[in-house]
Amino acid sequence: MTTSALLERLRALVGDAGLVTDPGQLAGYLSDWRGAYSGSAAAVVRPGTTEEVAEVVRACAEEGVAVVPQGGNTGLCGGAVPDASGRQVVVSLDRMRRVRAVDPVDQTITVEAGVVLQAVQEAAAAEGCLFPLSLGSEGSCTIGGNLSTNAGGTAVLRYGTMRDLTLGLEVVLPDGRVWNGLRGLRKDNTGYDLKQLFIGAEGTLGLVTAAVLKLFPAVRSRATAWVAVGSAQAAVDLFGIVRGLCSDRLTGFEIMSRQSVEFVLRHGSGARDLFGAVHPWYVLVELSDTLPDAGLDGLLEFVLGGAFERGVADDAVVASGSAQVAALRALREGISEAQNFEGPSLKHDVTVPVSSIPAFVERTDAALRAAVPGIRIVAYGHVGDGNLHYNLSKPVHSDDDAFRQRADELARVVYDSTSSFGGSISAEHGLGQSKRDVIADYKDDLELELMRGVKQLLDPRGLMNPGKVLPG
Ligand code: FAD
Ligand code: MLT
Ligand code: ZN
């Protein structure tokens, strides 16, 4: 069958509204949020139901055409972007946005894969519950993308990643069969936990169409502080102190280097420095509780007072009122966007044991500064999870392309250092196309062999998001 015959078959399945071939409309689906990756496609298909997804995938499989699943297209590794051949079909879930059920008794929510994360949070809140996943991209990213990247974000410390938040899945397999694993059970020991295979698979094993997710009791009080610390070691020490005293009330513990904050102060609208002096590192601490008046501000002040006495914290502000909380969060969440104004941003999303963060930073900073004098290291992230976004910007007044050309070499420096601490080169963003080859040098051969075996079992013809995750 020719491409145009396949497109007519797809049109018959999803209707005119579900098939995009017009170049102007296609453009938004063919490159990622940052413009770092772009490709071409025969069409974008937008099915409205699980049955339509299954029919579309079956039609493509019968014609030997590869499928690229796409959600909100906010991914940072090029996983949702098609290759340059123009033969692949992008399947966007952006018409599958139904919240199927919210159950406050079972504490579950059942949603279609195209529902935007923020809409899931709102649907849970409307029933007095909390869906805790929280990312800077939550206004655009979708549950299908969150599942497929095993998204993390700022509340992992308390609630875990998407793997921990998922009870059941519905998945269209690469041959078009539908696996209905939409169970909301808290316990189910009937063999292999298949849903975990699809979580974090970045669309290479099947297309997720719906999920049953865990809910939690609504949070009724919060306290937020912005703390200046003198070193990464002090940040880790502060983490130990806050966690020791606040336990599960500690919801977020985010670190930012001065360089990261400076970018937001320069480019973020309305952003302002909180302290008179400049400090090398800052920490955003968030406590939360289900009680309406849990005295969290007082607790946070008490904990920070102890940290001052021990010389761990240098300055701090406990936010008063929602406007100040929003301003503090914006200083953290604005980093990713602000960095884009400073030329190419070489992103590395690494994790090491929390206790190794100070030595990792010291050793990696030194190696990078030796390689590129004047390099601007934009290190920030979820330090309570051992996860640093260890991003790099070019020296001031230097050439964009010359810096971009050194991306692989500089990534090696970061990844070799990560590996020497027993870390991982992808903490939460995935491998996509950006790290699919380099992972071969940092992952055990047996693990890669087992991963290839799983791929072969589920997708023997290699038609589900080829060129992603597995080394070529
Ligand atoms: P997409 O980008 O569309 O796709 C991501 C991958 O999942 C691709 O491989 C795609 O093929 C696959 N996929 C998408 N939908 C499906 C489906 N239904 N079935 C099968 N495969 C599918 N990530 C974090 O983990 N933590 C953060 O704190 C964080 N902060 C961010 C902040 C900003 C400002 C931005 C831009 C991104 C951030 N991200 C973060 C990255 C990104 O938002 C997440 O990876 C998110 O989970 C991607 O969701 P998406 O719907 O946009 O997926
Ligand atoms: C974040 O935590 O802000 C993102 O995961 C990092 C990024 O956008 O690089
Ligand atoms: Zn992150």
Side-chain angles (χ1 to χ4, degrees):
M1 193 186 266
T2 60
T3 303
S4 61
L6 172 64
L7 295 189
E8 281 323 303
R9 184 172 168 191
L10 295 176
R11 192 187 303 281
L13 292 171
V14 296
D16 283 337
L19 189 76
V20 183
T21 52
D22 172 71
Q25 287 177 290
L26 276 179
Y29 297 91
L30 301 181
S31 56
D32 70 332
W33 170 79
R34 291 192 296 148
Y37 300 92
S38 56
S40 182
V44 173
V45 190
R46 304 169 59 230
T49 62
T50 301
E51 293 70 30
E52 283 184 9
V53 175
E55 292 296 331
V56 165
V57 170
R58 188 172 301 121
C60 290
E62 282 172 11
E63 299 310 321
V65 170
V67 159
V68 180
Q70 190 175 102
N73 202 10
T74 67
L76 297 168
C77 303
V81 177
D83 69 12
S85 68
R87 281 186 44 76
Q88 300 187 326
V89 167
V90 173
V91 177
S92 168
L93 278 290
D94 62 6
R95 285 174 71 214
M96 291 189 59
R97 297 209 157 156
R98 280 170 289 266
V99 174
R100 291 189 189 166
V102 187
D103 191 328
V105 177
D106 287 333
Q107 295 269 279
T108 58
I109 185 165
T110 306
V111 297
E112 293 183 346
V115 181
V116 169
L117 172 55
Q118 194 174 319
V120 179
Q121 297 165 342
E122 286 166 3
E127 296 294 331
C129 298
L130 171 77
F131 182 64
L133 192 79
S134 176
L135 317 181
S137 54
E138 63 199 23
S140 317
C141 65
T142 63
I143 288 300
N146 301 152
L147 286 159
S148 302
T149 56
N150 182 28
T154 54
V156 170
L157 260 184
R158 166 71 180 88
Y159 299 101
T161 65
M162 218 37 194
R163 279 195 198 288
D164 306 299
L165 298 173
T166 306
L167 293 169
L169 288 186
E170 178 185 83
V171 182
V172 172
L173 301 178
D175 59 8
R177 284 178 296 167
V178 180
W179 172 53
N180 185 345
L182 272 185
R183 290 181 284 271
L185 301 173
R186 302 275 162 168
K187 289 185 164 181
D188 179 7
N189 277 353
T190 52
Y192 307 136
D193 190 354
L194 295 179
K195 66 178 180 294
Q196 293 296 348
L197 276 183
F198 298 98
I199 301 174
E202 301 180 58
T204 60
L205 299 179
L207 227 150
V208 179
T209 46
V212 186
L213 306 171
K214 285 184 195 169
L215 297 179
F216 294 80
V219 160
R220 294 183 188 82
S221 52
R222 290 179 196 276
T224 304
W226 182 259
V227 189
V229 292
S231 63
Q233 183 63 58
V236 169
D237 292 344
L238 181 65
F239 175 60
I241 293 171
V242 182
R243 183 136 86 171
L245 290 168
C246 302
S247 189
D248 270 358
R249 275 170 292 193
L250 177 59
T251 320
F253 195 92
E254 298 284 310
I255 194 172
M256 288 127 297
S257 65
R258 175 69 196 178
Q259 180 69 79
S260 316
V261 173
E262 258 170 30
F263 280 0
V264 183
L265 293 174
R266 195 173 303 157
H267 303 292
S269 69
R272 68 175 190 90
D273 214 345
L274 275 103
F275 306 126
V278 165
H279 299 271
W281 293 90
Y282 302 88
V283 173
L284 182 70
V285 185
E286 293 196 285
L287 305 185
S288 66
D289 202 301
T290 50
L291 293 173
D293 191 8
L296 294 182
D297 281 350
L299 175 61
L300 200 45
E301 278 159 18
F302 168 76
V303 172
L304 291 173
F308 282 123
E309 276 169 25
R310 291 164 67 174
V312 168
D314 294 336
D315 208 343
V317 170
V318 175
S320 57
S322 54
Q324 197 174 17
V325 171
L328 295 183
R329 282 204 183 150
L331 277 177
R332 159 65 183 90
E333 285 173 3
I335 299 171
S336 192
E337 199 174 348
Q339 202 189 354
N340 290 337
F341 292 98
E342 296 282 338
S345 143
L346 307 185
K347 284 183 176 280
H348 311 100
D349 160 42
V350 301
T351 184
V352 294
V354 178
S355 57
S356 299
I357 291 256
F360 168 80
V361 167
E362 192 180 340
R363 202 184 294 172
T364 320
D365 276 14
L368 288 165
R369 292 195 202 289
V372 185
I375 194 168
R376 293 174 296 167
I377 300 171
V378 186
Y380 63 99
H382 321 289
V383 72
D385 310 324
N387 178 186
L388 277 186
H389 298 304
Y390 199 80
N391 297 349
L392 308 177
S393 287
K394 63 175 189 169
V396 182
H397 303 311
S398 66
D399 181 57
D400 279 10
D401 284 339
F403 187 62
R404 233 181 245 116
Q405 274 160 19
R406 297 189 67 182
D408 289 349
E409 172 204 340
L410 298 177
R412 285 274 168 202
V413 173
V414 177
Y415 295 157
D416 285 353
S417 179
T418 304
S419 181
S420 74
F421 287 97
S424 165
I425 69 164
S426 175
E428 59 175 10
H429 296 160
L431 299 173
Q433 44 182 302
S434 63
K435 286 171 253 174
R436 71 174 285 234
D437 286 323
V438 80
I439 190 61
D441 296 333
Y442 296 98
K443 212 169 173 76
D444 179 72
D445 285 346
L446 179 59
E447 281 182 77
L448 285 171
E449 186 185 319
L450 294 173
M451 281 169 63
R452 287 197 178 94
V454 172
K455 173 76 173 170
Q456 178 65 22
L457 175 74
L458 286 164
D459 185 22
R461 296 168 66 207
L463 293 175
M464 193 52 77
N465 213 4
K468 316 289 166 58
V469 179
L470 290 165

